[in-house]
Amino acid sequence: MPVATTFTLQKGSPTYPRNPKISRKLDTQRIEQSHTQIKEAEQEIQTGHIDRAVNKLEHIITNATRITKPNERKAKPWFNRNSYQARQLALHKLHSALTSRSEETLKEYANERRKYKTLIRESKREYYEEKAREIIEESENDPFRVLK
């Protein structure tokens, strides 16, 4: 028995936030509240209108999905590309040290981690020194800016 389906695209902005993160969990209360729509979908199936039943069930599911706000995690301002590469290298050394369990790989990891930590300290110091220079320059141009 062939099944005919139709899809329609709606224009306009969606009702949810831009870049939403859709949860995999459904709101069971909303599904329970749409009990009558489920019964209608069952009746549509029995009468042979599978397309209508699928559309109703799809509508029930989309209304029951939970939309959470997207992850707004950001890196620290001093964490630059060099820091990221040093971190990746240190993690790689850590994994190799954990798998091989030799003194040599453990020492390599310790050295790489030490380099990474000093790089972080230096980049953090440089960042705050630059910010301090910017504040000093602003205060020279507008002395009342410091009080704000």
Side-chain angles (χ1 to χ4, degrees):
M1 169 156 95
V3 177
T5 58
T6 58
F7 294 102
T8 57
L9 297 175
Q10 297 175 349
K11 292 184 178 180
S13 62
T15 58
Y16 46 85
R18 290 188 110 173
N19 303 332
K21 182 178 181 184
I22 298 174
S23 175
R24 298 175 109 185
K25 297 179 182 176
L26 295 176
D27 190 359
T28 54
Q29 288 180 339
R30 283 190 180 176
I31 293 176
E32 290 171 359
Q33 289 172 351
S34 59
H35 183 68
T36 57
Q37 291 177 339
I38 293 173
K39 289 290 184 188
E40 290 174 5
E42 288 175 356
Q43 289 174 355
E44 295 286 346
I45 291 171
Q46 290 174 356
T47 59
H49 300 287
I50 296 175
D51 292 337
R52 292 181 195 167
V54 168
N55 288 337
K56 287 182 180 182
L57 292 175
E58 181 183 3
H59 183 68
I60 292 168
I61 291 171
T62 54
N63 285 342
T65 54
R66 295 180 182 167
I67 297 176
T68 59
K69 65 179 185 179
N71 187 1
E72 296 179 10
R73 181 178 168 189
K74 293 190 175 148
K76 299 291 182 183
W78 59 81
F79 199 83
N80 55 19
R81 178 171 286 167
N82 293 336
S83 306
Y84 179 76
Q85 290 173 346
R87 179 178 179 270
Q88 291 296 101
L89 187 59
L91 287 175
H92 178 70
K93 296 287 183 178
L94 170 65
H95 292 301
S96 63
L98 290 174
T99 55
S100 70
R101 302 243 182 217
S102 70
E103 283 293 320
E104 181 181 332
T105 56
L106 193 62
K107 286 180 183 178
E108 287 176 6
Y109 164 66
N111 287 335
E112 205 58 49
R113 179 178 159 86
R114 195 173 302 115
K115 288 178 189 176
Y116 168 65
K117 291 293 185 177
T118 55
L119 181 71
I120 290 292
R121 274 188 236 113
E122 288 173 7
S123 61
K124 194 187 264 191
R125 181 184 50 79
E126 289 172 2
Y127 172 78
Y128 282 119
E129 284 178 357
E130 181 63 32
K131 284 294 178 185
R133 271 190 236 112
E134 289 175 7
I135 291 172
I136 290 170
E137 287 176 10
E138 287 178 5
S139 66
E140 287 175 353
N141 295 336
D142 184 13
F144 295 104
R145 177 83 174 148
V146 177
L147 299 176
K148 292 181 183 177

